[in-house]
């Protein structure tokens, strides 16, 4: 499959090399930022472009990997395209309608549910991809793209509304959990301890969820509603009112749902 990649950020820098290694042919990388386009394209051995007039018109798929509020503008920028060309975006929270409203006939979503950081290798064989398309042709191309990097069992059809709900759940599992670790790192500073002391606890917390439901795996003073411990924690958090608010709301939520 011949693809033109639109965007050179975190997702593209992780996904696109894996796609090429899996058999996709990357023709070009386009970005508003020339340095970003060149950095990604040089590793792929393809052309880096910045001007819209230089985007090739002979690709099977135009894969949009940009921030959500830029997807519609980028889709319009690409047109007109050949009749059979597929335009796909990779967002978890953006409906497919932004592509059809922009005039894309064969539109698709190829959403890899994973967190991406430049410089980190991702084992895409374990990543779930969620697919949506406006035509059978677009669906076949989207599935073929995902098959370059993951197992067929990890490819799922999912409509926009359900994908948005999935993305919301993913924010809690990944982004919010990571922010809780950021808070923990801050709270450790007065002790002189490094965050690395938390890593075995973090690993066991994640490992338990491979065999237990989140409800079964829950532990801690909020579960027991140990008010003595909770009050001591609250006193320690008085200098950090925002964190105290998070602590109270999280504790109340744990207590009310378990």
């Amino acid at each position: 499959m011949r693809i033109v990649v639109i965007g050179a950020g975190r997702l593209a820098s992780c996904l696109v090399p894996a796609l090429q290694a899996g058999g996709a042919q990357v023709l070009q990388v386009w970005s508003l930022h020339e340095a970003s386009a060149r950095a990604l394209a040089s590793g792929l051995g393809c052309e880096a472009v910045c001007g819209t007039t230089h985007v090739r018109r002979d690709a099977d798929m135009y894969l949009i990997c940009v921030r959500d509020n830029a997807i519609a503008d980028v889709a319009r920028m690409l047109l007109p395209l050949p009749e059979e060309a597929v335009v796909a975006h990779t967002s978890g929270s953006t409906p497919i309608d932004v592509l059809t409203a922009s005039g894309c006939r064969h539109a698709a979503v190829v959403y890899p549910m994973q967190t991406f950081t430049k410089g980190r290798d991702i084992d895409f064989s374990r990543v779930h991809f969620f697919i949506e398309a406006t035509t059978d042709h677009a669906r076949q191309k989207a599935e073929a793209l995902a098959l370059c990097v993951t197992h067929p069992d990890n490819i799922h059809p999912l409509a926009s509304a359900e994908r948005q709900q999935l993305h919301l759940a993913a924010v809690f599992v990944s982004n919010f959990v990571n922010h809780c670790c950021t808070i923990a790192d801050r709270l450790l500073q007065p002790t002189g301890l490094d965050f690395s002391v938390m890593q075995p606890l973090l690993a066991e917390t994640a490992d338990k969820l491979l065999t237990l439901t989140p409800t079964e795996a829950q532990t801690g003073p909020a579960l027991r509603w140990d008010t003595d411990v909770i009050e001591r924690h609250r006193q320690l958090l008085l200098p950090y009112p925002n964190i105290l608010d998070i602590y109270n709301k999280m504790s109340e939520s744990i207590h009310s749902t378990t």
Side-chain angles (χ1 to χ4, degrees), residues 3-4 6-7 13 17 23 34 50 52 99 106 112 118 126 128 157 176 184 191 202-203 215 232:
I3 63 173
V4 168
I6 310 297
S13 68
E34 183 177 357
C50 292
T52 59
L99 298 179
H106 297 294
K118 284 187 177 181
R126 302 177 61 188
H128 291 267
F176 286 2
T191 72
L202 191 59
T215 299
R232 285 197 290 271

Side-chain angles (χ1 to χ4, degrees), residues 95-106:
I96 198 171
D97 294 351
V98 301
L99 298 179
T100 55
S102 299
C104 303
R105 179 181 174 221
H106 297 294

